[in-house]
Amino acid sequence: MMEKIKKIGVMTSGGDAPGMNAAIRSVVRTCAFYKIECVGIYRGYEGMIEGDFTNLNARSVKGIINKGGTFLKSARSKQFMTKEGRKKAYDNLKAAEIDAIVAIGGDGTFTGALVFNEEYGFPVMGIPGTIDNDIFGTSHTLGYDTALNTVVDVIDKIRDTASSHNRLFFIEVMGRDAGHIALNVGVGAGAEEILIPEEDLGLERLVDSLKRSKQSGKSSSIVVVAEGDKTGRNVFELKDYVNEHMPEYDVRVSVLGHMQRGGSPSCFDRVLASRMGVRAVEDLMKGKTNLMVGLISDKIAVTHLEQAVKGKSEINQELIRVSDIMTT
């Protein structure tokens, strides 16, 4: 029987995502509601190893729900990958009398939490925070909705230029292993083609599609490319190939990069973060551990951390069919 939780640590790890601050706020205020102490851990596992902690209360997190990034900072820790590093982290948590951890991040964060629990039996709960939306066990990760809105807004602006100069733009968005961002923003922004890792269009078919668009009367085109797409070795190879086979187009490349991570979180992400934070704390209070809080069919649910790490998020096949029809 696990002892009653009296103090919870909260941290963010890995790549930052809009909504992380809102999740921290939710964890802290839920702790305050249930009269549980809360400790912020700076820089994720690295701060845990260094004992970089700060006491948090309901007033400590005022005015952060609308802020992007994470005020607790984030880092990737090579030290935590070693037994010696994890031992230091455990000793620091025990010295601070922290009974459990809420870890906000992606699969690397959850993998570290699983190993830590396996070695020390330390209670952990995960909240998925990554704009790629590539975590199994939730339809939406924190930051995903905000990233979609950010990218659609940028593509709308680029289209103005594309239309004015009869240009074809390849726009690369994040998504090393999953095409969720590219597929959704491609449909939402009315792209002529969408290239994602899950669907290999091929260079010849890409050019054939662009030629059909040209013949139908389109004088400019937008092609959204997930960074992990395998159609070409990279987005610049795609540009060169189209330049060679369609010299009538003025082809440009825009790599959106880390601008997709930043910005004030959307209302959806703020509400989702608030719901996830409450559930994470309440489940720890019930003695649960090794779970990730997620959103399934618009209801907050939990998935075992191991499943979240090893499972594969599925691309929306119905949306692929919609995109095929919309790009006709």
Side-chain angles (χ1 to χ4, degrees), residues 32-216:
F33 180 83
Y34 287 110
K35 305 293 191 295
I36 295 172
E37 292 182 68
C38 191
V39 174
I41 302 168
Y42 284 110
R43 295 174 294 112
Y45 293 120
E46 196 71 7
M48 198 183 294
I49 290 169
E50 296 175 9
D52 195 0
F53 305 155
T54 184
N55 292 322
L56 299 174
N57 57 42
R59 301 285 70 79
S60 302
V61 290
K62 67 178 182 179
I64 68 168
I65 193 170
N66 61 319
K67 305 293 185 185
T70 162
F71 89 95
L72 288 178
K73 311 297 183 185
S74 189
R76 304 181 195 277
S77 175
K78 290 185 178 180
Q79 283 192 81
F80 196 78
M81 296 178 184
T82 68
K83 284 194 172 184
E84 295 76 17
R86 293 191 292 273
K87 178 65 166 59
K88 286 182 183 177
Y90 177 75
D91 289 344
N92 286 331
L93 291 174
K94 296 308 289 183
E97 299 182 331
I98 295 172
D99 302 313
I101 295 170
V102 175
I104 305 167
D107 55 3
T109 302
F110 299 155
T111 300
L114 274 172
V115 173
F116 194 63
N117 176 268
E118 183 180 303
E119 289 180 348
Y120 296 103
F122 203 89
V124 292
M125 290 289 296
I127 292 178
T130 168
I131 68 167
D132 289 344
N133 203 44
D134 58 352
I135 302 292
F136 178 82
T138 185
S139 62
H140 290 74
T141 56
L142 294 183
Y144 175 55
D145 183 72
T146 303
L148 294 183
N149 288 310
T150 298
V151 175
V152 165
D153 186 52
V154 171
I155 294 175
D156 287 347
K157 290 177 170 61
I158 290 174
R159 187 178 286 282
D160 292 342
T161 293
S163 301
S164 299
H165 296 276
N166 294 344
R167 286 175 178 160
L168 185 155
F169 269 88
F170 283 104
I171 302 174
E172 184 185 273
V173 300
M174 285 186 171
R176 186 179 65 246
D177 301 311
H180 298 291
I181 292 177
L183 180 58
N184 279 268
V185 301
V187 172
E192 278 63 45
E193 281 298 340
I194 303 166
L195 307 181
I196 58 176
E198 295 86 349
E199 299 279 315
D200 187 1
L201 181 62
L203 288 168
E204 291 184 10
R205 284 178 58 201
L206 171 62
V207 169
D208 288 343
S209 175
L210 291 172
K211 284 181 177 178
R212 286 195 299 273
S213 293
K214 189 81 171 173
Q215 290 166 2
S216 71

Side-chain angles (χ1 to χ4, degrees), residues 187 317-327:
V187 172
Q317 294 297 323
E318 188 254 348
L319 197 55
I320 289 178
R321 189 175 70 84
V322 169
S323 74
D324 289 340
I325 294 171
M326 291 298 102
T327 54

